[in-house]
Amino acid sequence: MKWKNRRINRFGFTLTELLVVVGLIGLLIALLLPALNKARDASNRIKCLSNLRQLGTAVQMYASSYGGKMPIGYWSDQKQTNYLIHINEDGASFYTMFGLLYVAHMLTAPQALYCPAEPLEAFQYNTAENRWPPTEPVSTERENTRAGYGGRPTVNWIETGDWPEQLSVISRYKHHALLADLVSTPYFITRRHKKGINVYYGDGSAQWVSRTTFDDTIKNIPDITYPFLPGYNSMMLSDDGEPLSGVWRRLDKQ
């Protein structure tokens, strides 16, 4: 009996072929990843600007209802701390700054208080480090609630929970920056949008501002999250004497 030679069809890849395919996939990923990251960053910037507009609208509504006064400023003599909603520490519990918007029911979507590009839980919406809604019963631990944006540090909200004697009046700030991504230290900017921040103005407009506009103003502040020190107040905003200076002055419309 004669056996006929049969051609055996082999299905699959050789090791060399697999390595070529893996290499091509890796190359495609390397080419596409920067574009995907760029698209994600652009999307976060747009969403952040939308959130900031919503927060600005709430501030405008509050001012319309309360004689033009705005719930913005800074906490405990530190102009870098301009983002608080509720304090719950050292046996005290009370609302402050942006918290007045919540109490007045003028912020129906609290997510608008937070930037989607923020990586730290302390400045994100409803996390273990930043509860929402704010914890009102006095806690034995520190359970402060923070916003992801900061207000112009115009007046000092003291630690007793009392409001400043005079709140800032919105009519005086038509062309001034009222709200913005956090600029407390260079690290706050780098970890979020890197190349700039979103800013909301007293005239109701909002826009992207390049980091080059103000970066030299805060270059001497330590590139960290904490601690904040009153010694850096003038780098945030100096409204006393001449020249008027600070990051927030650089953000104003010229």
Side-chain angles (χ1 to χ4, degrees):
M1 180 182 294
K2 294 183 179 180
W3 295 91
K4 294 182 179 180
N5 292 330
R6 294 182 179 180
R7 182 178 178 181
I8 300 174
N9 293 324
R10 299 177 61 188
F11 297 96
F13 294 100
T14 65
L15 178 59
T16 301
E17 290 171 331
L18 284 172
L19 290 175
V20 170
V21 171
V22 170
L24 288 173
I25 292 173
L27 180 60
L28 287 172
I29 292 174
L31 292 173
L32 291 174
L33 195 58
L36 292 174
N37 287 338
K38 191 173 182 180
R40 181 198 61 197
D41 292 343
S43 176
N44 282 339
R45 275 176 52 177
I46 293 171
K47 177 60 177 174
C48 172
L49 189 61
S50 175
N51 286 350
L52 200 59
R53 288 181 188 276
Q54 290 185 60
L55 178 56
T57 298
V59 171
Q60 297 272 3
M61 289 172 57
Y62 188 95
S64 295
S65 300
Y66 293 92
K69 297 178 180 179
M70 300 180 291
I72 62 172
Y74 60 98
W75 168 254
S76 185
D77 294 322
Q78 299 178 11
K79 292 186 178 181
Q80 292 164 289
T81 309
N82 60 344
Y83 45 72
L84 288 169
I85 296 171
H86 186 264
I87 294 294
N88 196 335
E89 62 178 37
D90 298 330
S93 174
F94 52 84
Y95 287 93
T96 184
M97 292 188 283
F98 290 144
L100 275 63
L101 301 175
Y102 174 68
V103 173
H105 305 290
M106 293 181 178
L107 196 64
T108 56
Q111 293 89 339
L113 285 161
Y114 302 94
C115 173
E118 176 58 64
L120 295 186
E121 286 195 2
F123 296 95
Q124 293 177 355
Y125 172 70
N126 195 21
T127 65
E129 294 185 39
N130 201 38
R131 299 289 187 187
W132 193 276
T135 305
E136 294 184 356
V138 176
S139 174
T140 56
E141 301 179 1
R142 188 181 222 185
E143 293 193 46
N144 297 338
T145 302
R146 310 165 194 83
Y149 300 108
R152 189 182 187 90
T154 52
V155 294
N156 182 22
W157 295 67
I158 56 179
E159 297 181 25
T160 62
D162 295 330
W163 297 2
E165 289 186 13
Q166 293 183 335
L167 296 182
S168 300
V169 177
I170 196 168
S171 61
R172 300 176 183 173
Y173 295 92
K174 290 184 178 180
H175 303 292
H176 295 69
L178 293 186
L179 309 167
D181 279 299
L182 298 175
V183 291
S184 300
T185 75
Y187 174 62
F188 277 78
I189 304 161
T190 302
R191 73 169 186 250
R192 191 176 287 187
H193 299 302
K194 302 177 182 64
K195 295 182 179 180
I197 61 172
N198 283 314
V199 181
Y200 179 88
Y201 295 90
D203 61 7
S205 64
Q207 67 184 38
W208 172 261
V209 176
S210 171
R211 183 170 181 158
T212 58
T213 303
F214 58 87
D215 209 24
D216 61 328
T217 307
I218 57 172
K219 64 183 179 182
N220 294 321
I221 297 179
D223 199 14
I224 56 175
T225 305
Y226 299 111
F228 297 149
L229 299 172
Y232 297 117
N233 280 350
S234 60
M235 295 182 185
M236 292 294 104
L237 179 65
S238 176
D239 277 338
D240 299 324
E242 294 290 346
L244 306 180
S245 61
V247 173
W248 287 84
R249 292 292 300 181
R250 299 292 292 273
L251 297 178
D252 292 343
K253 293 182 177 181
Q254 304 301 320

